[in-house]
Amino acid sequence: MTNPTGGGRMRQAESGATAVRPQAAPLSAEDTAALDMHTPTVARVHDFLLGGVESYEVDRALGRSLESAAPGLTSDLMACRAYEARMLRRFADDGISQVLVLGCGIPQGPVLVQEVIRQVHPDSYQVLLVDRDPLVTAHTRVLIEDPHHVGVSRCDLAHTHDLVDELARCRLRRDRPVLVLMHHVLEWLPDDAAARLMDTVRAWLPSGSAISLIHALNGDGPAEMARVYQAAGLAFRPRNEQDIKTLRDPFVPRSGLVHDVAPASVRPPRGHHISLSSHPGAIRA
């Protein structure tokens, strides 16, 4: 039985215990109309793989197929979450108090983006969380304790004009640097849309800003995943190093920072391109 006000699903843990969501995520009429419970979404599949409860059977079926095709996928996702938390703290300590998360996905622990930034900048932090999935944005709004500092937007990143409109309305200030997280986002966009998104972000970013990019690399595992996703009607596009670097340009790589922020214990595993870059004209040591 499905529940249009949220995933309403429960995942059985290996120990036999059942994870239950403590609070339902109410959807607006607009979000409910946009919710498709019969087609899997990346955010809900990832939530299932990470042990969450915001998924439907169609998402869980795809998640199980992906685990069979790429047995290390769940570990990869966990490593990326750990990397994100450590990287956020490093940039917060470095003075950045504003974060734009594109393709934020369903929020999960151990640490939420806004909690990391708030710990370092309790009075001045601003976070905008963006995703196209109505279940993601509804569930995220439930977890927001301070709407004056954290915003949520449902926006399809393939339509950059919608993102531009949202950035014009949001509380992120243009006179202060912004950290942009684009973790496993560009793989879901064709080349032209991915390039437009990067151009849009670059044109909007204030000086002194930074971007964190994680992108799947071509290889046997991602190729198998692409075939599984394609069978489910989703286009997953791992790219080679040069294509990813072309998308990243003309952001300037922050030399050495990856190793400082992400030691082996939290660095996303082999098969991911990791890029930490600064906005031109304001490269910080």
Side-chain angles (χ1 to χ4, degrees):
M1 183 175 183
T2 56
N3 175 9
T5 63
R9 324 316 297 164
M10 295 181 290
R11 185 175 184 183
Q12 196 77 17
E14 292 181 3
S15 63
T18 301
V20 181
R21 184 183 61 246
Q23 182 177 8
L27 271 71
S28 66
E30 181 182 1
D31 286 344
T32 300
L35 179 64
D36 184 353
M37 295 179 289
H38 305 291
T39 302
T41 71
V42 178
R44 298 195 312 248
V45 169
H46 283 187
D47 183 71
F48 165 73
L49 291 171
L50 291 168
V53 297
E54 296 292 345
S55 62
Y56 298 103
E57 178 54 36
V58 67
D59 306 302
R60 297 195 295 278
L62 177 54
R64 288 188 287 267
S65 296
L66 287 166
E67 285 180 317
S68 296
L73 176 58
T74 299
S75 296
D76 288 1
L77 293 174
M78 293 175 65
C80 287
R81 291 291 178 102
Y83 161 81
E84 180 177 287
R86 188 176 180 90
M87 184 271 304
L88 277 166
R89 181 58 188 245
R90 171 60 185 270
F91 273 96
D93 289 342
D94 205 26
I96 288 187
S97 61
Q98 301 191 113
V99 183
L100 170 62
V101 187
L102 300 181
C104 62
I106 295 171
Q108 285 191 348
V111 180
L112 302 179
V113 170
Q114 57 267 33
E115 292 176 351
V116 177
I117 301 301
R118 181 173 57 190
Q119 289 172 4
V120 182
H121 304 283
D123 299 320
S124 61
Y125 78 99
Q126 286 291 337
V127 177
L128 179 62
L129 305 165
V130 179
D131 204 286
R132 64 176 295 182
D133 190 327
L135 185 62
V136 169
T137 53
H139 187 71
T140 302
R141 289 189 183 100
V142 169
L143 298 178
I144 291 177
E145 298 178 358
D146 189 350
H148 295 290
H149 289 276
V150 185
V152 182
S153 172
R154 183 163 69 85
C155 177
D156 188 341
L157 297 176
H159 303 149
T160 52
H161 56 278
D162 291 338
L163 178 61
V164 170
D165 291 342
E166 184 57 41
L167 291 173
R169 292 190 296 265
C170 75
R171 294 174 180 268
L172 295 175
R173 293 173 48 176
R174 299 292 304 282
D175 61 345
R176 289 162 43 193
V178 177
L179 171 63
V180 182
L181 305 187
M182 299 179 68
H183 294 173
H184 299 299
V185 170
L186 297 181
E187 296 97 320
W188 305 101
L189 297 174
D191 292 345
D192 57 344
R196 282 198 307 272
L197 178 59
M198 293 298 287
D199 288 344
T200 299
V201 170
R202 185 179 67 251
W204 177 84
L205 276 181
S207 293
S209 297
I211 181 169
S212 174
L213 175 68
I214 298 179
H215 194 299
L217 284 169
N218 280 331
D220 293 340
E224 281 297 316
M225 290 170 55
R227 283 191 282 271
V228 173
Y229 275 123
Q230 185 175 22
L234 299 174
F236 176 66
R237 304 172 181 84
R239 294 180 170 95
N240 60 42
E241 285 272 8
Q242 186 54 52
D243 289 340
I244 297 170
K245 289 177 180 178
T246 298
L247 285 171
R248 188 195 65 200
D249 290 342
F251 288 97
V252 180
R254 296 190 64 182
S255 178
L257 187 56
V258 168
H259 296 288
D260 292 338
V261 174
S265 60
V266 297
R267 188 182 307 138
R270 184 176 55 187
H272 293 80
H273 175 99
I274 312 166
S275 179
L276 288 170
S277 306
S278 295
H279 194 42
I283 303 173
R284 290 167 296 130

